[in-house]
Amino acid sequence: MAESDKSMARPIVRQDQTKHIKAFTNYSSAGEYFEAVQKWIDETFYGHVVEKLVTNLGDRTDDIPLRVLGIGSGGGELEIMFLNKLLTKFPKIHTCVVEPCANSLTKYQANVKEHATNITFDWQNHTLEDFVGNQQENSLKYHFISVCHSLYYMKNLNKVLQSLHDMLAPGGILLVTITADYTCYGKLWKIIPDLKPETASQQVSSPAERAVSPPPHHRTSAQVHDALRQLQLQYHIDAYACPYKITHCFDEEESEERNQAIDFLTLPITLRDAPKDLLQQVLACIKECSVQRGNDWFFQLEHVCFFITKPT
Ligand SMILES: C[S@@+](CC[C@H](N)C(=O)[O-])C[C@H]1O[C@@H](n2cnc3c(N)ncnc32)[C@H](O)[C@@H]1O
């Protein structure tokens, strides 16, 4: 076996979930990303979710709240933006937040204190899989469910999507956002070797940690398309570009900022500890997928949004 093949075959360290969430939070609150998301919410989300729900459910000027479910909500930054848009047409909202990371849930609760009014919350510190397992046959259904950038962590995609669809009320909408297979992440992930399942299970210690461990393969919009077709669920799609400033990836010296930039892009494995030749190969691919403006490098990322409506 050639030297480079041997190093490619060595196991790569599974990324610590806390580190990834920290990196994701830092990057997703950065200027250009946030502006792109705000524009998408004002235009696409408003048209495809808020107005569509008004058409499907009618004006809810009564006291019955719109029922909302968030899966893998993180610190709630994105979901609070959804909720505020929904409030423009639905005066009362009840939202259930399913988030297995206790720190993120605490952060969401702190963010809500600052931003949300006319909304009641049900906090579920669980994985989606456990939450689904706890549902009763007569559990109330939801009018809007969002799964934003959290499908990467769930093992059985078809089962997850079917369960979420089953939890929708007639006329309700399920929104899935995930990175596009045809842009940089797709290319990047093709050259990152799969994390071997046995390696992952050896490194995961507690049952709670196992529940949030990443799947062996990176997931993009391509797998969601396939799953929805197999399940014969009706959907339409939209996409939005999100430039991430990742200049520190290419710093000569190792630093916390450089490590965080690399961790963010190589979810869910830690490539900075990988064999040097593989790291160089990945950094070259990241550069190829990025554009330079002034002294900064921007990773050209696109997210795909799937809108799945339950027939009325
Ligand atoms: C990349 S973050 C996305 C956060 C937020 N939805 C956003 O878009 O800003 C992924 C989130 O999914 C959560 N997660 C991981 N495994 C999960 C599971 N099995 N069920 C539900 N959520 C999960 C993580 O704890 C994390 O908060």
Side-chain angles (χ1 to χ4, degrees):
M1 192 190 272
E3 193 52 43
S4 62
D5 292 342
K6 264 193 246 161
S7 63
M8 295 286 274
R10 266 192 266 154
I12 298 166
V13 178
R14 192 181 73 85
Q15 197 177 107
D16 172 340
Q17 176 101 345
T18 324
K19 272 196 196 136
H20 173 67
I21 291 170
K22 192 171 166 217
F24 181 85
T25 308
N26 285 356
Y27 276 84
S28 42
S29 54
E32 295 204 14
Y33 172 87
F34 188 78
E35 279 165 28
V37 172
Q38 184 66 61
K39 187 167 182 291
W40 175 79
I41 288 183
D42 289 344
E43 295 167 7
T44 311
F45 179 81
Y46 188 75
H48 290 266
V49 175
V50 183
E51 288 188 330
K52 189 87 194 289
L53 283 177
V54 171
T55 308
N56 292 355
L57 308 173
D59 266 329
R60 294 173 83 86
T61 45
D62 50 29
D63 263 357
I64 303 169
L66 187 81
R67 292 180 56 81
V68 172
L69 174 65
I71 304 293
S73 311
E77 294 83 358
L78 190 58
E79 286 184 13
I80 291 170
M81 291 162 92
F82 291 161
L83 292 169
N84 283 332
K85 263 295 170 236
L86 287 164
L87 276 175
T88 62
K89 292 286 177 189
F90 300 96
K92 282 197 177 162
I93 297 178
H94 176 76
T95 185
C96 176
V97 175
V98 178
E99 170 52 60
C101 171
N103 285 346
S104 297
L105 209 59
T106 307
K107 193 167 172 218
Y108 196 146
Q109 287 162 343
N111 282 336
V112 160
K113 277 202 192 115
E114 290 168 30
H115 299 287
T117 49
N118 292 338
I119 308 174
T120 52
F121 287 89
D122 172 9
W123 305 105
Q124 295 282 333
N125 187 198
H126 292 297
T127 60
L128 168 68
E129 296 83 343
D130 288 347
F131 177 74
V132 169
N134 293 338
Q135 292 293 294
Q136 310 291 326
E137 253 191 44
N138 58 353
S139 294
L140 285 173
K141 306 284 183 190
Y142 295 90
H143 301 113
F144 173 59
I145 302 178
S146 65
V147 197
C148 295
H149 305 295
S150 47
L151 283 184
Y152 310 112
Y153 303 90
M154 295 169 203
K155 294 211 168 71
N156 189 332
L157 187 57
N158 287 32
K159 196 170 164 198
V160 162
L161 290 170
Q162 185 64 62
S163 311
L164 291 168
H165 191 261
D166 291 346
M167 282 192 266
L168 278 178
I173 298 173
L174 166 62
L175 166 66
V176 173
T177 68
I178 191 160
T179 196
D181 62 311
Y182 50 83
T183 53
C184 302
Y185 255 132
K187 284 184 204 158
L188 178 61
W189 289 352
K190 273 187 198 126
I191 69 159
I192 298 178
D194 293 336
L195 182 67
K196 291 186 174 57
E198 63 273 18
T199 312
S201 60
Q202 277 157 13
Q203 290 170 1
V204 170
S205 48
S206 69
E209 219 192 329
R210 247 194 311 279
V212 293
S213 67
H217 301 281
H218 293 288
R219 193 170 274 154
T220 63
S221 54
Q223 284 89 46
V224 178
H225 270 295
D226 288 348
L228 292 174
R229 275 192 214 115
Q230 282 163 19
L231 296 168
Q232 301 186 335
L233 299 178
Q234 296 293 320
Y235 64 95
H236 69 276
I237 60 164
D238 185 65
Y240 63 101
C242 275
Y244 287 89
K245 194 160 112 178
I246 45 101
T247 314
H248 286 299
C249 264
F250 310 119
D251 289 353
E252 296 280 320
E253 299 289 321
E254 186 170 343
S255 66
E256 184 53 32
E257 282 157 324
R258 175 175 180 256
N259 285 345
Q260 206 175 73
I262 296 174
D263 279 354
F264 168 69
L265 289 172
T266 56
L267 144 155
I269 54 180
T270 299
L271 265 181
R272 57 186 156 97
D273 297 332
K276 253 207 165 121
D277 52 352
L278 176 58
L279 180 61
Q280 291 313 326
Q281 200 188 344
V282 170
L283 286 175
C285 176
I286 291 175
K287 203 166 227 178
E288 224 175 86
C289 297
S290 303
V291 291
Q292 193 171 20
R293 289 203 292 275
N295 291 329
D296 283 317
W297 284 91
F298 291 86
F299 189 65
Q300 296 295 90
L301 190 55
E302 198 160 309
H303 298 313
V304 175
C305 322
F306 294 83
F307 300 91
I308 303 134
T309 304
K310 190 138 182 183
T312 43

